[in-house]
Amino acid sequence: MSGFDESLLDEVDETVRVRFVVNGRKVACEVAPRETLVDCLRNALELTGTHAGCEMGACGACLVQIDGRAVHSCLMFAVQADGAEINTIEGLTESGVIADLQAEFHRRNALQCGFCTPGMLVNAQELLSQVAEPSREDIRDALSGNCCRCTGYEAIVDAIDAVAKARREAGGTP
Amino acid sequence: MKARAFSYFRAATIDQALDAHARAGDDARFIAGGQSLVPALSLRLQAPRLLIDITHIAEMRGVRREGGFLRIGALTRHCEMLSEPLIAEFAPLLHAAAPFVAHPAIRNRGTFGGSVALADPASEFPAMTLALDAEIEIAGSSGTRRIKADDFFLDLFETALQPGELITAIHIPLFKADQRFAFDELARRRGDYALVGCGMLATCAGDHIDDIRISFFSVGNIPTRVKGAEAALIGSSLDAERIAAAQVALESDLAPPDSDEVPPAMRLHLARVLLGRLLGRLRDGA
């Protein structure tokens, strides 16, 4: 187990053509295997709402939905997402599914600089789709993967809590 | 930072993955969830020339009963520990531990097999395979073998896995009606690594403990069974005296590492507190 069989590299390309469905549209692009999904989304597809923060999976600014679930786009290479259905903050905004969250964040000023907000919204949507009646403690637990360096957490928890209650009163979770 | 350039191969079968690894020599890594590997690549702690994506290997997916075991495919994601009914019924300790593994977005990608393969001593699932007396199914160029969790964890991030071998499934003895379990961890903030964590599985006749396996994490180089404490509990009911004896036994069972942040004496104290709390829950059926 030591020598590297160079013929292996003839079978794998240095750039790979990947296809995704991003925000409901089929797209294809050429990526190097080392390119993370967040870089691909921002650079090749110009979807700059997804933010690259820590690039270690700790800050949550890069969250997107892959096949319906919140995922760190910095902890995934674009090649791994080949064939996936991806929704970024732009797609979630266009479709209106997080309009109530966005309105409540806005109303309560649940952000300061706003850098973390796209990830906060993706995470909030993930929480509310999984837990029908989150307590404030549940909300704080869920936000443990999102860093707001302006420390705007209190208003963010308030906003998510208010939307959870409003959705419940409107008849269950989406 | 960004990962060093590498080539990428998506394997469709276990054989394809093993073959690609064999041909790449030691210069390849398997990737599944990637929630620990991608940061390691980005920091260039690792810089393989080939990444072999095993995420699409159907043989490594799914959860099913097989004999007296629950066979959990290595690609089972952490979030599935919470949503899969067979796990809730037959491996409830894993179900109880899952909410403590990182945070939701990590759980949506990270895999059970990957966590066990990495063997992070601060991770919940490797330690729980010990408490559960799990068997780890491994595929390699010379065939498939099964190894007990007790024999799997060797040293810091070092396991019985040989280069090029792949964890394909983890087999958990089915949870039985006369068994009880408990899990908890002490962390500064949910989602952070635990200061101390513990899971246990006991076989009981009424309040009498016939057998118990207790496993700690975040207290040493490897997930650690505390056999002295186990011995102090087997063959009796969980009265205050026995619990105290088990807490005392931790002193010889555990050797917390020296660190400025959490001195060994403090970590040992926290382990005793946690053990007492969990045994109390086990006794009260809470």
Side-chain angles (χ1 to χ4, degrees):
Chain A
M1 299 293 292
S2 55
F4 189 94
D5 179 355
E6 298 290 335
S7 71
L8 200 56
L9 299 184
D10 299 337
E11 297 164 34
V12 287
D13 296 322
E14 289 311 303
T15 61
V16 182
R17 190 163 182 80
V18 291
R19 294 161 195 278
F20 327 110
V21 177
V22 180
N23 300 332
R25 298 176 197 92
K26 286 184 187 174
V27 298
C29 47
E30 295 278 333
V31 296
R34 69 193 285 238
E35 190 170 343
T36 55
L37 181 60
V38 62
D39 287 341
C40 176
L41 291 171
R42 288 179 58 84
N43 300 336
L45 303 176
E46 297 184 354
L47 293 166
T48 52
T50 303
H51 291 166
C54 66
E55 301 192 72
M56 300 291 298
C59 81
C62 70
L63 290 180
V64 299
Q65 281 184 353
I66 296 188
D67 300 326
R69 298 297 294 259
V71 162
H72 292 276
S73 57
C74 75
L75 288 190
M76 210 173 158
F77 297 110
V79 280
Q80 290 177 278
D82 186 28
E85 193 172 311
I86 301 167
N87 276 307
T88 68
I89 193 68
E90 290 89 348
L92 293 171
T93 300
E94 279 170 25
S95 70
V97 291
I98 57 166
D100 52 354
L101 276 166
Q102 288 166 311
E104 201 62 30
F105 269 59
H106 185 245
R107 197 172 79 76
R108 292 174 183 268
N109 201 27
L111 65 155
Q112 291 187 47
C113 83
F115 184 83
C116 69
T117 307
M120 289 283 183
L121 290 166
V122 173
N123 193 9
Q125 177 66 9
E126 172 84 2
L127 172 68
L128 299 184
S129 68
Q130 299 291 314
V131 186
E133 298 187 20
S135 63
R136 288 181 72 84
E137 196 185 341
D138 292 336
I139 295 169
R140 286 192 175 279
D141 265 2
L143 290 179
S144 69
N146 292 72
C147 291
C148 168
R149 293 198 175 184
C150 319
T151 68
Y153 292 104
E154 201 59 31
I156 293 168
V157 174
D158 290 343
I160 296 171
D161 188 35
V163 171
K165 287 184 175 125
R167 286 190 185 182
R168 212 149 64 227
E169 278 159 24
T173 54
Chain B
M1 268 174 78
K2 305 292 180 190
R4 200 186 77 177
F6 54 81
S7 299
Y8 171 87
F9 174 70
R10 185 183 277 200
T13 64
I14 292 170
D15 285 345
Q16 273 185 12
L18 295 176
D19 181 57
H21 201 293
R23 291 168 63 195
D26 295 334
D27 227 351
R29 292 287 179 279
F30 296 118
I31 188 166
Q35 302 299 280
S36 300
L37 181 58
V38 175
L41 294 171
S42 297
L43 289 167
R44 302 202 182 188
L45 297 172
Q46 298 198 32
R49 290 180 68 183
L50 178 69
L51 219 52
I52 302 165
D53 190 346
I54 56 173
T55 318
H56 299 271
I57 300 178
E59 306 155 78
M60 290 172 60
R61 289 207 166 279
V63 179
R64 62 172 188 265
R65 287 176 70 168
E66 208 178 84
F69 291 85
L70 193 66
R71 182 189 190 276
I72 303 178
L75 293 174
T76 302
R77 298 194 191 281
H78 302 331
C79 61
E80 293 175 80
M81 295 292 175
L82 292 165
S83 63
E84 169 57 62
L86 284 173
I87 290 176
E89 186 176 356
F90 294 113
L93 180 57
L94 293 178
H95 186 261
F100 294 86
V101 179
H103 48 259
I106 299 280
R107 295 200 290 268
N108 283 343
R109 285 290 297 169
T111 66
F112 188 37
S115 176
V116 174
L118 180 64
D120 187 322
S123 284
E124 290 80 2
F125 287 143
M128 293 313 100
T129 64
L130 277 182
L132 289 162
D133 198 15
E135 293 178 20
I136 294 151
E137 179 186 302
I138 296 167
S141 52
S142 52
T144 301
R145 65 192 173 107
R146 268 165 81 154
I147 181 169
K148 289 258 193 193
D150 277 321
D151 303 319
F152 184 74
F153 303 101
L154 303 180
D155 205 342
L156 187 64
F157 296 116
E158 193 187 325
T159 68
L161 274 178
Q162 297 297 311
E165 284 189 327
L166 188 58
I167 293 181
T168 46
I170 289 114
H171 298 255
I172 311 281
L174 297 176
F175 185 69
K176 296 174 196 68
D178 61 352
Q179 289 187 313
R180 299 183 194 177
F181 68 94
F183 176 93
D184 209 347
E185 67 181 45
L186 303 172
R188 290 204 168 90
R189 185 183 68 150
R190 176 67 76 89
D192 283 358
Y193 283 119
L195 298 168
V196 175
C198 180
M200 56 181 66
L201 180 73
T203 305
C204 313
D207 285 339
H208 190 271
I209 303 287
D210 285 337
D211 190 28
I212 188 165
R213 294 173 66 95
I214 306 172
S215 176
F216 275 87
F217 53 99
S218 278
V219 282
N221 280 351
I222 52 173
T224 309
R225 261 183 80 192
V226 287
K227 294 186 181 176
E230 291 173 3
L233 296 163
I234 291 171
S236 74
S237 42
L238 282 171
D239 53 40
E241 219 169 287
R242 287 294 182 141
I243 293 177
Q247 286 172 308
V248 169
L250 289 187
E251 193 149 353
S252 37
D253 283 335
L254 296 173
D258 205 1
S259 96
D260 291 341
E261 205 188 351
V262 188
M266 176 180 163
R267 218 183 278 268
L268 192 59
H269 170 74
L270 294 175
R272 285 201 202 100
V273 168
L274 189 58
L275 182 69
R277 216 177 264 180
L278 290 179
L279 289 171
R281 277 190 220 163
L282 211 63
R283 179 191 58 208
D284 302 337

